[in-house]
Amino acid sequence: MCSARALVTISLILMSAGILRAEDRPRAETSALALDAPILAELIRKEHAAPFWLRGEPEFTRVEQELRQYAGSGATADEILTQMLRMIAVVGDGHTMLAGSDRYQQLGIAPFFAEIFDDGVYLVKLPESESALLGAKILAVGGASIESALDRLRAFVPHSNESRFRRWAHSYLHLPGLMHALGLSDSPSSIDLTLRTIDGEVVHESFVRMTLEQYRETNREELAWPETRRDRKAGTNYFYEPIPEDDAVYFNFRRVANADSGETIWAFGARLASHLEENTVDRLVIDLRENGGGGYQYAAHLRPLLASVPSLDRPGGIVILTGPKTFSAASDFLSQMQRFTHATLIGVPPGGSIGEPGDDDDFTLPNTGLTVRISQVAGRDAASVDRRRVVRVDVPVPDRFADRMAGRDAALDAALAFEPAPETLDARALTNAAWAGRYAFEPGSDLVIRERNGFWRATALPQMDTPLAALGPGRARAGIPGLDLVLDERRDGVRLIFADGSEQFCARKASDEPSAWDLVFAGRIAEATPLLREALEQNPDSPSLTDGAFTSEAIHLTFTLSRTMDGRTARLKARELLETSIAIHPGGAPESEFSLRFYPKPE
């Protein structure tokens, strides 16, 4: 008899061969779902990189116990699968989910596609036969208001914050089996909606359940709205265009990946930085509203490039537009920009959370063949200085359906009109010379506070290089939201107060000798190696000294050094850092060893 793990492995092989496509499988039997329900919980516990990262193990265990009880209670297939969705959602990780094709095949699809705006939920894609209802506002689902329906859905949609729920709730709202299990539909065969049409008429419409194959064969029509700047060059991963009348450049960054053809993202980034420097641009607007992520390595070079443009190194120089679709590697890029520049966030909060797990792999449940995507990496770009779970925008601008239909881009308009608060522009904000100095921060890293380019900055490589603004005598606010610094002259140091309320004391150092990571980012790897070795020996569990941390910093190092030396030399320095990682990690450094293939060998 095969073990559950062996069955999972066999199913994965069949899936990779294309044999077990969701549309080729019959709906799972109730008995098979009952067997797979407890296996799902065990699989998440074993395979997820950090299953309790958001809500903690007690909450996970409570939901797990309820799932086990439910599976043996005589519930229907739809009801068991609904509770399995809850088991996945309790992780609170937007990458970990039941594969969309399996959700549709098992729970059916009502052929309407909605989008959630700040002024309501609207139909934006429908079968051609129903196209007259495009743009209609959903008022109710079954007998429940749309607000109540979304509240009932909340526990079953994977999300770490409200924006992520808003981004994905529509994909669950049109699952008839789920709506019936939640009491939002009288039958698992259809979903009834109450709508207000664009003409203002209130109508009731029933959408009949389809199979995945039927849905794919249905001709559908999308709502058309006037094109704005954000909609230009559809399908392009990245482009920029000057806005001369505002002395600005608009950079639309839709996907953290190379374009399918033409200019690579590295070449694009270099061209963008050159344009910004040669034209002394007053403001760069980075639009991340449609960016759902990709490969972090593809964006790692942009932060050093953009942070070094002199005309942008000030409040208001860089403005970033975010929204519910901003997620994964796009959120990592966003955090990097907030930790190293004066970036201002405008729009709707992003759907991604700081330190959210990612890099998901597919796992197949042995009795049903259902595919579950489970995150394998626990927040690769997480930084101890940025402990936010929710990223708040500096200037909230609602994303309204009415604006989209009128051809208005309110967030971009706000970005171009933005004026920094006067106190953030005061270069004399920290006049107390007692702030200046070097403080012990983390193994291999120091916190350095000093004035540079007219602004006081707190630098702790490789985590941050953030501007400071005075909050009062002996207290400053960093550019990283939620991070405050308090001068503790009695203990001769600085207290860091983080977004989650925790604190860290950093004692002043007598010497101004550079730290290990200071030396690394100055390209002095050989001098840094013994310091890194010593730091790791004394702090073997330090997150900033793991094998994975070195591979990430090798990427950052490449593009940081590329600003002052040729590209090949910079990549050789990054290779040297990876070789240091391999040399100092006693148990081996498989990620560093793997990453060596991407860097040149010395001639």
Side-chain angles (χ1 to χ4, degrees):
M1 186 175 186
C2 287
S3 67
R5 183 63 182 172
L7 285 167
V8 169
T9 303
I10 292 169
S11 295
L12 278 171
I13 293 171
L14 292 172
M15 282 291 290
S16 65
I19 297 172
L20 295 178
R21 297 185 310 162
E23 56 266 47
D24 293 337
R25 288 195 303 273
R27 292 183 61 204
E29 297 289 340
T30 303
S31 57
L33 284 164
L35 290 171
D36 274 349
I39 292 175
L40 169 65
E42 293 169 5
L43 191 64
I44 295 173
R45 276 186 181 273
K46 182 176 181 179
E47 299 295 347
H48 195 284
F52 319 124
W53 77 286
L54 185 64
R55 297 188 174 93
E57 187 171 8
E59 177 67 8
F60 183 95
T61 301
R62 184 182 68 81
V63 175
E64 178 183 11
Q65 291 171 345
E66 291 177 0
L67 174 62
R68 291 176 183 274
Q69 294 170 0
Y70 211 89
S73 67
T76 67
D78 284 348
E79 290 169 341
I80 295 174
L81 188 57
T82 294
Q83 295 306 312
M84 292 171 74
L85 291 178
R86 184 182 176 215
M87 184 78 257
I88 295 169
V90 77
V91 178
D93 157 21
H95 293 92
T96 296
M97 64 178 66
L98 181 67
S101 56
D102 280 328
R103 290 199 305 271
Y104 296 144
Q105 186 69 2
Q106 300 302 318
L107 294 165
I109 312 172
F112 66 85
F113 191 95
E115 190 166 345
I116 302 176
F117 295 86
D118 283 291
D119 53 351
V121 185
Y122 293 84
L123 297 179
V124 296
K125 185 188 298 184
L126 290 168
E128 287 182 347
S129 59
E130 306 282 354
S131 61
L133 293 175
L134 283 170
K137 183 177 184 178
I138 301 178
L139 303 178
V141 181
S145 69
I146 183 61
E147 294 79 12
S148 176
L150 292 175
D151 282 343
R152 291 193 210 179
L153 267 181
R154 200 172 302 279
F156 305 90
V157 179
H159 65 284
S160 62
N161 60 52
E162 186 61 23
S163 280
R164 186 64 179 173
F165 172 74
R166 170 173 156 174
R167 166 69 180 96
W168 278 109
H170 66 81
S171 290
Y172 293 74
L173 189 64
H174 67 171
L175 303 178
L178 175 60
M179 293 295 99
H180 181 247
L182 296 181
L184 292 167
S185 175
D186 293 334
S187 165
S189 300
S190 63
I191 297 177
D192 296 332
L193 300 181
T194 302
L195 308 167
R196 179 182 292 119
T197 68
I198 285 183
D199 297 329
E201 182 183 2
V202 174
V203 300
H204 302 279
E205 189 73 18
S206 182
F207 292 86
V208 177
R209 179 175 181 153
M210 291 183 173
T211 66
L212 179 59
E213 186 174 1
Q214 289 171 332
Y215 182 70
R216 287 175 173 167
E217 292 176 351
T218 301
N219 291 325
R220 298 182 295 277
E221 186 173 331
E222 293 189 41
L223 180 66
W225 39 49
E227 182 183 84
T228 61
R229 198 180 298 270
R230 70 183 291 184
D231 303 310
R232 295 177 186 172
K233 301 185 180 181
T236 304
N237 287 357
Y238 36 81
F239 73 90
Y240 76 83
E241 56 186 33
I243 307 179
E245 61 272 24
D246 292 293
D247 196 15
V249 165
Y250 172 77
F251 164 27
N252 193 318
F253 193 12
R254 291 195 182 107
R255 181 71 179 161
V256 188
N258 274 328
D260 292 335
S261 61
E263 190 176 36
T264 67
I265 194 169
W266 292 288
F268 169 83
R271 180 165 62 87
L272 171 60
S274 295
H275 176 90
L276 295 170
E277 291 183 351
E278 292 169 5
N279 293 277
T280 318
V281 172
D282 183 67
R283 175 162 300 165
L284 172 66
V285 179
I286 304 174
D287 193 342
L288 295 179
R289 288 175 292 179
E290 300 294 327
N291 196 322
Y296 177 70
Q297 68 275 19
Y298 291 110
H301 73 302
L302 287 175
R303 187 266 297 167
L305 285 174
L306 300 178
S308 62
V309 176
S311 66
L312 302 180
D313 186 21
R314 54 179 177 73
I318 297 176
V319 174
I320 301 177
L321 305 181
T322 67
K325 295 179 183 178
T326 309
F327 182 65
S328 193
S331 293
D332 292 338
F333 170 69
L334 178 64
S335 175
Q336 282 273 332
M337 292 298 291
Q338 287 194 293
R339 286 187 275 128
F340 285 87
T341 75
H342 293 265
T344 299
L345 269 56
I346 290 179
V348 176
S353 293
I354 304 300
E356 187 161 350
D359 289 6
D360 52 281
D361 280 347
D362 286 354
F363 295 85
T364 305
L365 296 176
N367 298 286
T368 57
L370 299 179
T371 299
V372 183
R373 294 172 180 156
I374 300 178
S375 291
Q376 303 296 289
V377 177
R380 181 178 297 279
D381 194 52
S384 67
V385 295
D386 194 351
R387 302 183 185 180
R388 296 170 291 169
R389 285 294 185 230
V390 177
V391 179
R392 293 180 173 83
V393 293
D394 301 297
V395 182
V397 179
D399 183 18
R400 295 190 176 97
F401 180 80
D403 286 337
R404 296 300 300 272
M405 290 302 293
R408 292 188 296 264
D409 190 339
L412 179 56
D413 291 343
L416 295 173
F418 174 70
E419 293 292 341
E423 59 268 21
T424 65
L425 297 170
D426 188 358
R428 301 166 299 171
L430 301 179
T431 56
N432 188 346
W435 281 98
R438 181 177 292 271
Y439 304 84
F441 174 58
E442 287 186 346
S445 176
D446 292 339
L447 170 67
V448 180
I449 300 178
R450 57 173 55 119
E451 189 176 0
R452 189 175 80 241
N453 297 334
F455 293 95
W456 282 82
R457 303 185 77 96
T459 305
L461 296 177
Q463 290 206 34
M464 67 177 178
D465 180 16
T466 180
L468 299 175
L471 288 179
R475 191 179 184 101
R477 172 148 294 165
I480 303 167
L483 176 61
D484 290 352
L485 287 74
V486 176
L487 187 62
D488 192 332
E489 296 188 77
R490 183 180 62 83
R491 290 195 292 170
D492 196 18
V494 169
R495 284 189 296 123
L496 304 182
I497 303 176
F498 300 101
D500 61 0
S502 60
E503 295 189 13
Q504 176 182 337
F505 177 73
C506 302
R508 187 186 297 273
K509 299 183 73 170
S511 170
D512 196 35
E513 291 296 315
S515 70
W517 284 109
D518 290 340
L519 292 169
V520 166
F521 280 89
R524 297 157 62 181
I525 314 299
E527 296 175 65
T529 298
L531 298 179
L532 290 169
R533 186 190 302 276
E534 180 183 5
L536 183 60
E537 289 173 352
Q538 295 177 359
N539 305 273
D541 297 325
S542 173
S544 62
L545 296 173
T546 63
D547 176 24
F550 275 81
T551 61
S552 293
E553 297 313 329
I555 298 171
H556 296 146
L557 180 64
T558 298
F559 296 110
T560 299
L561 295 180
S562 293
R563 300 296 293 165
T564 57
M565 60 182 64
D566 68 88
R568 176 177 170 80
T569 302
R571 295 176 69 206
L572 285 170
K573 290 290 184 181
R575 181 185 181 91
E576 190 178 350
L577 178 62
L578 293 173
E579 291 170 341
T580 293
S581 173
I582 295 167
I584 68 175
H585 282 95
E591 291 190 48
S592 295
E593 291 174 1
F594 177 82
S595 296
L596 279 177
R597 69 189 65 191
F598 302 111
Y599 297 89
K601 294 181 179 180
E603 294 178 350

